[in-house]
Amino acid sequence: MAAIDTAVLGDWVSRFGTAVTEKRDWLTELDSAIGDADHGANMARGMSAVAEKLSAGTPATVDDLLKTVGMTLVSSVGGASGPLYGTFFLRMGMAAGPVTELDGPGLAAALRAGLDGIVARGKAEAGDKTMFDAMAPGVDALDAALGDGASLADAVRAAAEAAATGRDATMPLVARKGRASYLGERSAGHLDPGAASTAILFDTLAAAVAGSAG
Ligand code: ADP
Ligand code: MG
């Protein structure tokens, strides 16, 4: 398959919502170690508001779909992750434009724009122990796999693996952004909750793309 349409993107959003709801307690446990124990609740609340918003049907164009997701997250999640994930989806939608499908390079460019939006908003850099540390390797791996001629399905699977590796690599880091940075050295030895939810974001993207092939 060379492209994904709004139905696959809608399936991604829905799978992400289901997964963060299933993993709510784990995400909250991670946040209780280095934050304020609300990341699971924040993500589950935001994505359930998104599901509610999309229950009338998936918007016809990629930008309408992703902008709706982004605006709903910004308005329904109070924590740092709401504006950050909200900006990610908004920027992704703006980059995609009023199209009905994305090919591999189009998906990679949209994800890159979403990542840039998170950086513009939160100023995170590599190694700050944030969602950036899972997302940047994921987007880089997608670009690299597509550049090597991988199929879209294989490329998003490689991106999901890189995001999971990036999540695991946050364990020893000392947080330099967000609430966890207040802990200083004591933030080391724990996974970053936002990196954990971002690995789920990429895993569910790979699942949605794989699901559409069969
Ligand atoms: P809050 O920190 O307001 O309680 P959440 O617990 O929902 O919000 O989200 C925390 C996650 O947000 C962190 O684990 C981290 O990945 C991410 N985060 C926090 N600040 C930033 C930032 N400036 N840039 C990127 N990600 C950030
Ligand atoms: Mg929190």
Side-chain angles (χ1 to χ4, degrees):
M1 166 215 6
I4 54 174
D5 61 14
T6 51
V8 176
L9 291 168
D11 184 41
W12 169 37
V13 169
S14 151
R15 285 173 188 261
F16 181 51
T18 302
V20 292
T21 303
E22 279 170 8
K23 296 193 167 138
R24 178 201 328 231
D25 291 350
W26 176 60
L27 293 171
T28 288
E29 207 181 292
L30 296 177
D31 198 30
S32 73
I34 60 169
D36 58 352
D38 66 355
H39 189 57
N42 285 341
M43 296 308 297
R45 182 172 64 253
M47 292 310 295
S48 111
V50 166
E52 172 77 34
K53 195 96 186 172
L54 295 177
S55 61
T58 307
T61 58
V62 174
D63 61 343
D64 271 353
L65 169 64
L66 297 175
K67 284 194 225 167
T68 301
V69 175
M71 286 184 300
T72 307
L73 288 176
V74 169
S75 63
S76 64
V77 182
S81 58
L84 289 166
Y85 275 113
T87 301
F88 167 80
F89 282 108
L90 280 169
R91 293 287 189 94
M92 211 188 149
M94 283 161 59
V99 296
T100 55
E101 58 175 38
L102 292 174
D103 60 8
L107 176 66
L111 287 166
R112 173 78 58 192
L115 171 65
D116 290 347
I118 286 181
V119 172
R121 180 121 203 173
K123 313 275 178 268
E125 293 172 14
D128 281 352
K129 197 178 181 103
T130 71
M131 55 179 72
F132 178 94
D133 292 318
M135 193 175 292
V139 175
D140 288 346
L142 181 60
D143 279 340
L146 291 171
D148 286 347
S151 71
L152 184 47
D154 287 348
V156 289
R157 181 40 63 199
E161 280 162 18
T165 302
R167 170 202 63 208
D168 293 345
T170 64
M171 177 81 90
L173 298 175
V174 172
R176 289 191 297 244
K177 287 286 182 313
R179 274 178 203 283
S181 66
Y182 308 158
L183 289 181
E185 299 287 330
R186 280 184 293 136
S187 62
H190 305 278
L191 289 181
D192 176 63
S197 57
T198 291
I200 296 172
L201 183 74
F202 278 75
D203 195 57
T204 50
L205 176 61
V209 172
S212 71

